[in-house]
Amino acid sequence: MPNVAICAPSAVFMKEDAERVLALAAAEFPGVKLHVHPQCFLSEGHFAGSDAARLGALVECANDPAFDAVWFARGGYGAARIAEDALAQFDHAAQDKLFLGYSDAGTLLGGLYRQKIGQPVHAPMPADIRRARGDAAVRRTLAWLAGDRSGEEPQRDQHPTVAFNLMTLTMLCGTRLMPGLAGHVVLVEEVSEYLYAVDRLFFHLTAHLGGIAGLRLGRVSEVPENDRPFGADAEEIARLWCQRHAIPFLGRADIGHDIDNKIVPFGLAR
């Protein structure tokens, strides 16, 4: 019976959304016990409370031996401001935990993976309940926590695998949160970026991915319309930059900022 702490290292989590997630879990997954930290509902500018409040809640959840997992409430932006300080304060209790999220939460997943703390997992988050039919995404993570692995991204091979938002992983490059990814299959997805910005991100990211086993492209969705066509789609962009850096392009991945986003535990398939 996993006990799961929910905290918000980035943007605010709305109370009505939390209530819907708690109701869904209680009705369909009674063996998964969710505990929403009150910090989730704080608001200070863009963030779910001050840096200090978000840091304190994250460390509290990670270091509490009563919890088996920490589920990040939502993305947005903010985890980068507290990630290094938080990881430095994690104690032995964090080693046994799952840490679940995607998008901006990838900042923490990357840092956790670099420092070999717990089990980072790319997975839908509670705030996905706000999407049309978003209960399907939330249900996927709850089912996974209950032991159902059918919601995992299915195309795993013998290589360790990681999954990130393209912008998030690109911003990790050159920082003390960037994990070593040599020998890994790297999955990336993106949302709400112009195609020229996607090209710019791949320009930078692929220069830092030497030695990976390959790259797979998730969905690049909600692309804004530019004043003139870019001239290449997202897959063509990914293939171009992979070719320039001798990175094997391994096709598409079933991840993205949508209700069909699949689960990717970091590392080797289990």
Side-chain angles (χ1 to χ4, degrees), residues 184-196:
H184 286 64
V185 173
V186 178
L187 281 55
V188 293
E189 55 79 26
E190 191 50 85
V191 65
S192 300
E193 293 289 347
Y194 289 100
L195 287 173
Y196 70 79

Side-chain angles (χ1 to χ4, degrees), residues 72 87 90 99 107-118 120:
F72 303 126
L87 295 176
F90 284 8
F99 294 87
T107 302
L108 288 163
L109 300 182
L112 288 160
Y113 196 57
R114 174 181 174 131
Q115 296 193 26
K116 298 179 172 59
I117 298 173

Side-chain angles (χ1 to χ4, degrees), residues 24-233:
L24 175 61
E28 300 184 27
F29 303 94
V32 179
K33 302 300 182 184
L34 301 183
H35 307 266
V36 182
H37 196 289
Q39 169 271 324
C40 290
F41 312 127
L42 298 178
S43 180
E44 182 170 305
H46 179 89
F47 309 108
S50 66
D51 288 354
R54 300 192 326 280
L55 172 64
L58 174 56
V59 171
E60 179 183 337
C61 292
N63 290 349
D64 189 334
F67 296 127
D68 305 295
V70 178
W71 194 9
F72 303 126
R74 61 162 298 173
Y77 172 69
R81 295 167 63 103
I82 64 170
E84 288 188 49
D85 288 342
L87 295 176
Q89 296 180 48
F90 284 8
D91 65 20
H92 63 279
Q95 289 288 351
D96 299 324
K97 284 185 173 55
L98 301 165
F99 294 87
L100 304 99
Y102 74 104
S103 190
D104 191 60
T107 302
L108 288 163
L109 300 182
L112 288 160
Y113 196 57
R114 174 181 174 131
Q115 296 193 26
K116 298 179 172 59
I117 298 173
Q119 169 65 73
V121 183
H122 167 103
M125 295 180 289
D128 283 316
I129 200 80
R130 295 182 65 85
R131 302 182 188 277
R133 303 186 305 280
D135 55 325
V138 174
R139 188 178 286 113
R140 187 174 305 116
T141 300
L142 289 169
W144 191 87
L145 286 165
D148 180 356
R149 298 299 184 254
S150 63
E152 291 187 4
E153 214 282 340
Q155 302 179 65
R156 301 293 291 262
D157 62 16
Q158 74 276 16
H159 297 97
T161 301
V162 296
F164 287 95
N165 170 259
L166 175 61
M167 174 72 80
T168 301
L169 183 56
T170 304
M171 293 300 102
L172 289 181
C173 291
T175 74
R176 288 175 290 188
L177 297 169
M178 179 68 177
L181 297 178
H184 286 64
V185 173
V186 178
L187 281 55
V188 293
E189 55 79 26
E190 191 50 85
V191 65
S192 300
E193 293 289 347
Y194 289 100
L195 287 173
Y196 70 79
V198 172
D199 191 84
R200 181 184 292 150
L201 291 168
F202 271 113
F203 153 72
H204 184 74
L205 176 64
T206 51
H208 292 266
L209 292 183
I212 69 169
L215 183 139
R216 291 173 49 214
L217 180 65
R219 287 176 287 282
V220 177
S221 57
E222 300 179 31
V223 177
E225 185 175 348
N226 198 17
D227 58 353
R228 58 187 181 275
F230 181 70
D233 64 23

